Amino acid sequence: MKTLSSLFENNRNWAQKVNREDPEFFTALSNQQNPEYLWIGCSDSRVPANEIIGLRPGEVFVHRNIANMVIHTDMNCLSVIQYAVDVLKVKHIIVCGHYDCGGVKGAMSNQSNGLVDNWLRHIRDIYAKYETTLNAIEDEKSRTEKLCEINVIEQVANVCHTTIVQDAWKRGQELAVHGWIYALQNGLLQDLHVCVRELDELSAIYRLAIDGELGG
Ligand code: CO
């Protein structure tokens, strides 16, 4: 089992299928990528970006990490955002969280998970920031869901606070930042209605979304 041959077989079958449907597909894609979207999502294996939104290779630029976080000192994530905005000129950045996120649950428990606890510390900070709101929710499942939503909203704000996005807006580049959440139970996405298209919109939308009813 050194070669994981079944995966290579899957790959050959997939490439053949794509080729049959569109013989020019790989040639065209190998010359350039022109995605309209940057997806920032969770690494969770159940939340694959392309599949969920029905996009083919070449149509979405993707960054995933545990609990879909945008940390201001994370050069990996910042480089992805910078390349997507400045070079690829994506029109939309989608921060997509999901309910039942292991990262969010881990941050809410006292159990130690090793190194990853340092990463999840950012979510603990978010919990502390909204402690009053969260602690008022008695049902643990609902409280976890609320933190999953708040985490997305916080990360949307973090994206908007980057120099990359602010510079793009200053030079008049069309760029919208969205916050979505995905439900593992039914495969459906929900818009958290925190879309930001310019700097002026940021604080108002951010505040409304945290205080008010989220989603539908
Ligand atoms: Co997750």
Side-chain angles (χ1 to χ4, degrees):
M1 285 304 283
K2 269 188 194 162
T3 55
L4 298 174
S5 56
S6 64
L7 299 186
F8 280 88
E9 195 184 330
N10 287 351
N11 168 253
R12 280 191 299 274
N13 292 339
W14 171 78
Q16 275 169 13
K17 182 171 169 280
V18 172
N19 227 354
R20 265 198 310 274
E21 289 165 2
D22 180 1
E24 300 301 315
F25 184 77
F26 289 116
T27 315
L29 263 193
S30 65
N31 291 327
Q32 63 158 353
Q33 62 167 335
N34 191 23
E36 262 192 45
Y37 314 94
L38 164 62
W39 171 281
I40 300 174
C42 184
S43 296
D44 193 306
S45 63
R46 299 165 294 181
V47 195
N50 285 69
E51 252 173 296
I52 287 174
I53 46 180
L55 293 183
R56 307 183 79 187
E59 294 182 316
V60 58
F61 202 60
V62 174
H63 178 78
R64 289 168 69 182
N65 61 40
I66 292 177
N68 41 271
M69 296 214 272
V70 178
I71 308 302
H72 297 309
T73 50
D74 178 6
M75 282 301 144
N76 184 353
C77 183
L78 291 179
S79 299
V80 170
I81 296 175
Q82 190 262 326
Y83 189 78
V85 171
D86 291 350
V87 181
L88 297 173
K89 304 247 184 308
V90 297
K91 291 193 171 61
H92 303 273
I93 298 176
I94 298 154
V95 176
C96 186
H98 68 104
Y99 295 121
D100 292 311
C101 180
V104 172
K105 284 183 186 170
M108 289 173 78
S109 85
N110 293 323
Q111 201 189 320
S112 172
N113 291 294
L115 176 74
V116 70
D117 289 332
N118 295 283
W119 181 252
L120 299 181
R121 169 64 202 282
H122 295 289
I123 303 181
R124 286 185 196 272
D125 290 345
I126 294 172
Y127 195 105
K129 188 173 166 186
Y130 298 98
E131 199 168 12
T132 313
T133 306
L134 289 163
N135 285 350
I137 304 169
E138 278 182 33
D139 178 54
E140 196 183 330
K141 189 171 180 290
S142 306
R143 194 163 63 242
T144 310
E145 287 179 352
K146 186 74 170 178
L147 184 56
C148 288
E149 292 169 352
I150 289 177
N151 181 42
V152 170
I153 296 164
E154 283 279 326
Q155 305 315 323
V156 166
N158 286 346
V159 171
C160 297
H161 288 152
T162 61
T163 53
I164 305 153
V165 169
Q166 294 195 18
D167 287 346
W169 281 333
K170 275 181 206 154
R171 59 179 181 257
Q173 191 172 325
E174 185 190 339
L175 180 65
V177 186
H178 310 260
W180 297 354
I181 195 144
Y182 175 77
L184 298 172
Q185 288 84 356
N186 60 15
L188 294 176
L189 285 167
Q190 190 184 320
D191 193 338
L192 293 175
H193 302 293
V194 289
C195 178
V196 188
R197 280 151 301 190
E198 56 184 0
L199 203 55
D200 293 346
E201 290 180 328
L202 182 60
S203 57
I205 284 176
Y206 182 56
R207 205 171 43 240
L208 282 172
I210 297 287
D211 293 343
E213 281 291 304
L214 283 164

